[in-house]
Amino acid sequence: PPIREMPYSDPRAYQREWAEFLGVPVERTDTANGVAFRFVLIPPGTFRMGSPADVVARLLAQPNLGDWARDRYRAETERRVTIRRAFYLGTTEVTFAQFAAFVAHARYETRAERGAAGWGYRGSGVGFRGPGAGWEEARGFNWKSAGDYKPAPNHPVVNTARDDAVALCKWLSAATRGTCRLPTESEWEFACRAGRYGLWAHGDDPEQLKRFAVYGTEVPAAVGTRAANPFGLFDMHGNATERCALEDLWTDDPHRSANRSAAIYPVRGGRFNEASADAWPDDFRAARRTWEHHDSLAAGFRVLREVPQ
């Protein structure tokens, strides 16, 4: 089939068209160490990645912006990108149960467990709220021990470094005889938009974001509890932020973070506690872009599985 340019009148039909052509299912499940990893097929396509000039101008016009925020918004400069190969993407962020299966089978020790400072929640009262409640960074917090926050099996795993995410991908590749990795930024944004333009996959209405994203909460929520986007992906706009891989497409980007020391690894999506429920949720837009040091433990991730073509 032709590689079509967004927007798509029927993203699901386009998805099925490519699945039929490639002879693969739209949805697939792989099992590793007794735990299921579910994926959906993302077709190739051409799209305008980033934000239109008027949106970037609006973001830059906000008062009291620091240099970090200005660099983030300038890095959203819109450009035309073509995704030339279909791929599978995890329907949700990697969960606590999935990560636990990897750790147990591979006998893996995360960066935080080796002594790096992780993030822990100190809270009280209903919904974890109370005087002095909040997240703090300190040694002793890790993916399975985060203070008063006790992750459930179906919560997104947090307190993992980039190396930890890459290690799970390599383990899953071996366990499923496939090629698993982190998505690049262009793959992530194309999948997030799911055939549509706008601030979010559902359009430009911030009120509707409550249906699709976890935000304005003190701690993460179970994955898949909000509505899926048209490609069948959950929590792309918000729950844990998601690590992405570097790609050649962005190496000439003057705003990517050359002036940010080693903080060069891209992170996409919004974080559960980055905005209050009644705030304009700019941090949860499809084009939202930021970076973190590879040692940072502040993000989650989802897995891409390549399709042999």
Side-chain angles (χ1 to χ4, degrees):
I3 295 178
R4 304 184 190 278
E5 185 157 359
M6 279 179 46
Y8 306 132
S9 58
D10 190 342
R12 288 282 193 179
Y14 185 50
Q15 194 178 33
R16 290 193 299 268
E17 181 182 16
W18 271 91
E20 292 171 4
F21 169 72
L22 293 169
V24 298
V26 171
E27 301 179 12
R28 68 171 292 156
T29 299
D30 291 285
T31 302
N33 199 26
V35 175
F37 288 79
R38 295 181 174 84
F39 299 89
V40 294
L41 185 74
I42 308 300
T46 298
F47 75 117
R48 299 191 306 275
M49 183 175 178
S51 296
D54 62 323
V55 173
V56 174
R58 176 180 68 78
L59 294 168
L60 289 172
Q62 297 176 97
N64 304 318
L65 284 184
D67 290 341
W68 177 261
R70 289 185 180 280
D71 281 355
R72 283 203 297 132
Y73 295 145
R74 288 174 181 144
E76 292 182 21
T77 301
E78 195 173 60
R79 64 207 74 187
R80 192 168 181 268
V81 174
T82 297
I83 306 296
R84 301 192 178 277
R85 295 172 64 91
F87 57 91
Y88 282 107
L89 193 61
T91 57
T92 69
E93 297 150 337
V94 170
T95 65
F96 181 90
Q98 291 169 334
F99 196 81
F102 151 64
V103 166
H105 189 262
R107 297 181 180 179
Y108 183 81
E109 190 175 46
T110 64
R111 182 175 291 273
E113 290 172 297
R114 296 194 299 269
W119 289 91
Y121 188 78
R122 301 298 188 193
S124 60
V126 178
F128 295 93
R129 299 176 187 274
W135 289 84
E136 62 183 44
E137 189 176 19
R139 295 181 184 275
F141 296 132
N142 55 57
W143 67 278
K144 58 185 177 181
S145 177
D148 292 329
Y149 166 57
K150 309 298 182 185
N154 60 353
H155 280 197
V157 68
V158 294
N159 271 330
T160 56
R162 177 184 177 275
D163 290 349
D164 302 329
V166 170
L168 179 139
C169 291
K170 290 180 178 179
W171 168 80
L172 189 59
S173 295
T176 61
R177 298 181 180 179
T179 300
C180 299
R181 58 177 173 82
L182 295 176
T184 63
E185 285 193 271
S186 58
E187 290 166 335
W188 190 96
E189 186 174 328
F190 180 75
C192 177
R193 291 188 177 280
R196 300 173 178 174
Y197 288 117
L199 295 178
W200 306 284
H202 61 269
D204 292 328
D205 181 2
E207 285 300 312
Q208 292 299 312
L209 185 60
K210 297 173 184 177
R211 296 178 50 223
F212 297 91
V214 176
Y215 74 108
T217 64
E218 295 293 310
V219 297
V223 300
T225 55
R226 305 299 193 268
N229 74 9
F231 279 158
L233 299 168
F234 297 89
D235 302 321
M236 294 293 284
H237 285 299
N239 203 353
T241 49
E242 300 182 19
R243 299 182 185 280
C244 291
L246 296 174
E247 58 185 321
D248 291 342
L249 173 69
W250 293 97
T251 55
D252 61 348
D253 181 349
H255 303 296
R256 188 169 63 82
S257 65
N259 60 336
R260 297 297 173 192
S261 184
I264 61 172
Y265 288 96
V267 175
R268 289 303 196 114
R271 184 177 290 119
F272 56 91
N273 64 341
E274 281 184 315
S276 61
D278 59 351
W280 180 270
D282 272 321
D283 282 345
F284 299 83
R285 296 169 298 109
R288 186 255 194 179
R289 217 178 158 208
T290 190
W291 313 278
E292 289 184 358
H293 190 278
H294 68 89
D295 289 347
S296 169
L297 305 179
F301 64 102
R302 74 177 69 216
V303 175
L304 180 149
R305 181 185 171 106
E306 294 184 357
V307 177
Q309 294 175 53

